[in-house]
Coordinates of all heavy atoms in Angstrom, one line a residue:
Q53 N 0.1 -3.9 -25.6 CA 0.7 -4.2 -26.9 C -0.3 -4.6 -27.9 O -0.2 -4.3 -29.1 CB 1.7 -5.4 -26.6 CG 2.6 -5.7 -27.8 CD 3.5 -6.9 -27.5 OE1 3.4 -7.5 -26.4 NE2 4.4 -7.2 -28.3
H54 N -1.4 -5.3 -27.5 CA -2.3 -5.9 -28.4 C -3.5 -5.0 -28.7 O -4.4 -5.3 -29.4 CB -2.8 -7.3 -28.0 CG -1.6 -8.2 -28.1 ND1 -0.8 -8.5 -27.0 CD2 -1.2 -9.0 -29.2 CE1 0.1 -9.4 -27.4 NE2 -0.1 -9.7 -28.7
I67 N 5.5 -7.4 -37.1 CA 4.6 -8.2 -36.2 C 5.3 -9.4 -35.7 O 6.0 -10.1 -36.5 CB 3.3 -8.6 -37.1 CG1 2.6 -7.3 -37.5 CG2 2.4 -9.5 -36.2 CD1 1.4 -7.6 -38.4
C68 N 5.3 -9.5 -34.4 CA 6.0 -10.6 -33.8 C 5.4 -11.9 -34.1 O 4.1 -12.1 -33.9 CB 6.0 -10.4 -32.3 SG 6.6 -11.9 -31.3
P69 N 6.1 -12.9 -34.7 CA 5.5 -14.2 -35.1 C 5.0 -15.0 -33.9 O 4.3 -16.0 -34.0 CB 6.5 -14.9 -35.9 CG 7.8 -14.2 -35.7 CD 7.5 -12.9 -35.1
I70 N 5.5 -14.7 -32.7 CA 5.1 -15.4 -31.5 C 3.8 -14.9 -30.9 O 2.9 -15.6 -30.7 CB 6.3 -15.4 -30.5 CG1 7.5 -16.1 -31.1 CG2 5.8 -16.2 -29.2 CD1 8.8 -16.0 -30.3
C71 N 3.8 -13.5 -30.6 CA 2.6 -13.0 -30.0 C 1.6 -12.3 -30.9 O 0.6 -11.9 -30.5 CB 3.0 -12.0 -28.8 SG 3.7 -10.5 -29.4
K72 N 2.0 -12.1 -32.1 CA 1.2 -11.4 -33.2 C 1.0 -9.9 -32.9 O 0.1 -9.3 -33.5 CB -0.1 -12.1 -33.4 CG 0.0 -13.6 -33.6 CD 0.6 -14.0 -34.8 CE 0.6 -15.6 -35.0 NZ 1.7 -16.0 -35.8
G73 N 1.7 -9.4 -31.9 CA 1.5 -7.9 -31.7 C 2.7 -7.2 -32.3 O 3.6 -7.9 -32.9
V74 N 2.8 -5.9 -32.2 CA 3.9 -5.1 -32.7 C 5.2 -5.6 -31.9 O 5.1 -5.8 -30.7 CB 3.7 -3.6 -32.6 CG1 3.6 -3.1 -31.2 CG2 4.8 -2.8 -33.3
V75 N 6.3 -5.7 -32.6 CA 7.5 -6.2 -31.9 C 8.0 -5.2 -30.9 O 8.2 -4.0 -31.2 CB 8.6 -6.6 -32.9 CG1 9.9 -7.0 -32.2 CG2 8.1 -7.7 -33.9
L76 N 8.2 -5.6 -29.6 CA 8.8 -4.7 -28.6 C 10.2 -5.3 -28.3 O 10.3 -6.5 -28.0 CB 7.9 -4.7 -27.4 CG 6.5 -4.0 -27.6 CD1 5.7 -4.1 -26.3 CD2 6.6 -2.6 -28.1
Y87 N 11.6 -11.1 -33.2 CA 10.6 -11.4 -32.1 C 10.8 -10.4 -31.0 O 11.9 -9.7 -30.8 CB 10.9 -12.8 -31.5 CG 11.4 -13.8 -32.5 CD1 12.7 -14.1 -32.7 CD2 10.4 -14.5 -33.3 CE1 13.1 -15.0 -33.6 CE2 10.9 -15.4 -34.2 CZ 12.2 -15.7 -34.4 OH 12.7 -16.6 -35.3
C88 N 9.7 -10.2 -30.2 CA 9.8 -9.4 -29.0 C 10.9 -10.1 -28.1 O 10.9 -11.3 -28.0 CB 8.5 -9.4 -28.2 SG 7.1 -8.9 -29.1
H90 N 10.7 -10.4 -24.8 CA 10.0 -11.3 -23.8 C 9.4 -12.5 -24.4 O 9.3 -13.6 -23.8 CB 9.0 -10.5 -23.0 CG 7.9 -9.9 -23.7 ND1 7.9 -8.6 -24.2 CD2 6.7 -10.4 -24.1 CE1 6.8 -8.4 -24.9 NE2 6.0 -9.4 -24.8
C91 N 9.0 -12.4 -25.7 CA 8.4 -13.6 -26.4 C 9.5 -14.6 -26.7 O 9.3 -15.8 -26.5 CB 7.8 -13.2 -27.7 SG 6.3 -12.2 -27.5
P107 N 8.9 -20.1 -35.2 CA 7.5 -20.6 -35.5 C 7.1 -20.3 -36.9 O 6.1 -20.9 -37.4 CB 6.6 -19.8 -34.5 CG 7.4 -18.7 -34.0 CD 8.9 -19.0 -34.2

Side-chain angles (χ1 to χ4, degrees):
Q53 188 180 9
H54 293 92
I67 298 174
C68 168
I70 301 171
C71 72
K72 313 291 183 205
V74 64
V75 177
L76 296 177
Y87 326 96
C88 307
H90 61 268
C91 290

